[in-house]
């Protein structure tokens, strides 16, 4: 079981920092450098434990498949950030007050999805349901299409 201290160490290690730097250089995606709220580490630990992946699995992606992973992440973000919200009963236009850069731990969820797509695709939808992603089956199919387009 992954714990909060291990998550903190993981997002501060060389491989993870290099991934964030490359994402910013190649795709102009920057992160919020403020200190992370401690609860986010707990969410990340829970997500990792539910996925069946280990931190060493995620480090392997960062060490051996960084370019493919970053391309996947950038493509996924461009698609989902440009999609309109689908909220029932809301006929009013969405108003975006401010979009702030994500905290530096944001790559963890993308690493987990990438790991499952590349190593355990049969478990992807199960994992997405466990972490309570709305319309998880549809979302899982979208992730597979994004990966297939790389």
């Amino acid at each position: 079981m992954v714990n909060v201290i291990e998550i903190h160490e993981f997002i501060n290690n060389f491989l993870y920092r290099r991934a964030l730097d490359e994402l910013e250089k190649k795709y102009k995606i920057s992160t919020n450098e403020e200190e992370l709220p401690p609860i986010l580490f707990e969410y990340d630990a829970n997500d990792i434990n539910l996925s069946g992946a280990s931190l060493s699995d995620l480090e392997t992606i960062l060490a051996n498949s960084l370019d493919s992973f970053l391309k996947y992440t950038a493509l996924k973000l461009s698609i989902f950030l440009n999609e309109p919200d689908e909220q029932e009963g809301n006929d009013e236009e969405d108003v975006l007050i401010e979009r702030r850069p994500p905290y530096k731990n944001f790559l963890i969820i993308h690493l987990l999805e990438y790991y499952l797509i590349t190593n355990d695709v049969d478990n992807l939808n199960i994992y997405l349901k466990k972490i309570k992603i709305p319309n998880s089956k549809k979302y899982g199919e979208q992730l597979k299409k994004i990966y297939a387009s790389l």
Side-chain angles (χ1 to χ4, degrees):
M1 299 289 282
V2 176
N3 66 45
V4 172
I5 294 168
E6 292 169 321
I7 300 293
H8 189 270
E9 291 170 355
F10 177 73
I11 66 169
N12 288 305
N13 78 20
F14 170 75
L15 292 172
Y16 193 89
R17 296 299 305 171
R18 183 181 72 171
L20 289 175
D21 291 343
E22 289 292 316
L23 195 60
E24 186 164 3
K25 283 180 197 172
K26 287 183 179 179
Y27 301 102
K28 309 296 185 229
I29 299 171
S30 60
T31 57
N32 182 339
E33 290 297 323
E34 293 175 21
E35 187 158 339
L36 278 82
I39 190 73
L40 294 181
F41 293 116
E42 292 177 30
Y43 289 140
D44 289 334
N46 185 56
D47 288 349
I48 292 169
N49 291 328
L50 289 173
S51 74
S54 67
L55 288 176
S56 64
D57 293 328
L58 304 184
E59 286 176 349
T60 299
I61 292 169
L62 295 175
N64 300 330
S65 306
L66 182 61
D67 287 338
S68 176
F69 167 69
L70 293 179
K71 188 174 180 182
Y72 163 82
T73 302
L75 182 57
K76 178 185 166 196
L77 291 174
S78 71
I79 289 169
F80 287 112
L81 290 178
N82 293 321
E83 232 177 48
D85 287 336
E86 297 178 9
Q87 295 180 357
E88 290 184 29
N90 187 1
D91 295 331
E92 299 173 17
E93 286 290 318
D94 289 339
V95 177
L96 182 63
I97 297 171
E98 178 183 13
R99 180 174 284 158
R100 302 196 56 187
Y103 286 110
K104 64 183 180 180
N105 71 324
F106 89 103
L107 284 183
I108 290 176
I109 192 76
H110 303 292
L111 280 164
L112 292 171
E113 292 169 354
Y114 187 89
Y115 169 79
L116 290 168
I117 289 169
T118 57
N119 294 287
D120 190 9
V121 74
D122 294 336
N123 195 30
L124 178 63
N125 287 338
I126 296 166
Y127 165 73
L128 295 173
K129 282 184 182 183
K130 285 180 183 177
I131 64 168
K132 298 177 175 46
I133 296 291
N135 300 312
S136 59
K137 195 170 190 175
K138 178 182 173 187
Y139 179 70
E141 293 305 315
Q142 289 173 311
L143 295 180
K144 291 174 194 174
K145 286 179 185 175
I146 291 168
Y147 179 75
S149 71
L150 296 180

